[in-house]
Amino acid sequence: QKEVEQNSGPLSVPEGAIASLNCTYSDRGSQSFFWYRQYSGKSPELIMFIYSNGDKEDGRFTAQLNKASQYVSLLIRDSQPSDSATYLCAVNSGNTPLVFGKGTRLSVIA
Amino acid sequence: DVKVTQSSRYLVKRTGEKVFLECVQDMDHENMFWYRQDPGLGLRLIYFSYDVKMKEKGDIPEGYSVSREKKERFSLILESASTNQTSMYLCASLSSGVQPQHFGDGTRLSIL
């Protein structure tokens, strides 16, 4: 059974701080890793994806992947109240459906 | 941009009714998926399809069926709706391999 684990939160950070969201996965054959943001009552929207070990930056977001340790993280710099949402980690092992974690709820306090 | 369109944003049906949820994608994607999402349970895969007329069961297929007669359209069918099928239903598509999935806006279905 392929699993993706996330801390459910809530993770509370003050406005302007760095939010760090973590995810571990069980399948060593996983090839691609995705972070989705989901606002309450809305559908998930893709914000980052990463395929290779190391860091990938996109604006205020940085995804970090460590395949040896089987974890992937998302850093949000200069957190804003509009970043308050649930963040879903998803993992793909080739041509199989994505396996999603249950999400971490982030609350950015103004 | 990929566009995944679900036919209804909100839907209210009665127990025992046959319910159809429609999903259309405009990017010629091979793969399409139906999920339901409930508080505390995360996204759960109901059915998926890798090609026209092809379907595979996901984690919770009981009480549901699907139809994929055309590549762009993937329908979820509740054969005889029950109150425990009240949920948010999400459709997604992806091209192939390790590409990201794109979601529709979701259908919030209430079974009374």
Side-chain angles (χ1 to χ4, degrees):
Chain A
Q1 182 82 3
K2 299 171 185 176
E3 294 182 342
V4 175
E5 300 287 340
Q6 295 182 255
N7 189 318
S8 62
L11 172 66
S12 295
V13 299
E15 184 175 359
I18 295 175
S20 177
L21 304 160
N22 299 311
C23 169
T24 60
Y25 58 94
S26 63
D27 182 11
R28 281 198 171 274
S30 298
Q31 299 176 19
S32 53
F33 308 85
F34 306 92
W35 283 100
Y36 289 82
R37 177 177 61 200
Q38 187 174 23
Y39 292 113
S40 180
K42 302 293 186 182
S43 66
E45 57 177 322
L46 180 72
I47 52 173
M48 289 284 295
F49 59 91
I50 186 166
Y51 301 143
S52 304
N53 273 331
D55 295 0
K56 179 181 178 183
E57 189 174 316
D58 184 1
R60 294 187 298 114
F61 299 97
T62 299
Q64 299 176 318
L65 175 61
N66 184 323
K67 287 187 177 181
S69 300
Q70 294 177 245
Y71 85 79
V72 57
S73 62
L74 179 70
L75 301 178
I76 306 174
R77 288 182 299 281
D78 188 24
S79 295
Q80 301 297 309
S82 58
D83 294 325
S84 298
T86 297
Y87 289 80
L88 303 174
C89 173
V91 173
N92 188 307
S93 301
N95 243 352
T96 56
L98 289 186
V99 179
F100 284 85
K102 291 185 178 179
T104 298
R105 191 154 54 93
L106 172 66
S107 179
V108 180
I109 312 298
Chain B
D1 269 359
V2 177
K3 184 69 174 174
V4 180
T5 303
Q6 294 184 232
S7 54
S8 304
R9 193 77 179 87
Y10 300 94
L11 205 54
V12 179
K13 296 291 183 181
R14 297 208 173 273
T15 54
E17 280 192 70
K18 191 169 186 176
V19 181
F20 293 85
L21 301 182
E22 306 287 345
C23 176
V24 176
Q25 49 94 4
D26 67 353
M27 287 301 291
D28 202 36
H29 284 174
E30 303 289 340
N31 307 280
M32 297 187 73
F33 308 86
W34 275 106
Y35 296 87
R36 64 178 284 178
Q37 188 175 35
D38 302 285
L41 298 179
L43 283 166
R44 292 184 290 169
L45 182 64
I46 305 171
Y47 267 97
F48 59 101
S49 169
Y50 286 138
D51 202 349
V52 175
K53 297 192 185 296
M54 179 275 178
K55 60 185 178 183
E56 292 282 348
K57 292 181 180 179
D59 300 319
I60 53 163
E62 296 78 18
Y64 303 94
S65 63
V66 290
S67 172
R68 190 149 181 221
E69 295 296 318
K70 294 184 178 181
K71 192 175 186 179
E72 67 270 19
R73 186 180 297 271
F74 192 34
S75 303
L76 180 69
I77 303 156
L78 285 65
E79 297 290 344
S80 178
S82 64
T83 55
N84 63 11
Q85 292 178 310
T86 290
S87 186
M88 168 74 103
Y89 289 86
L90 291 158
C91 175
S93 75
L94 73 90
S95 56
S96 63
V98 296
Q99 298 300 311
Q101 272 179 211
H102 298 272
F103 286 87
D105 287 339
T107 296
R108 189 165 292 282
L109 175 64
S110 296
I111 307 296
L112 305 178

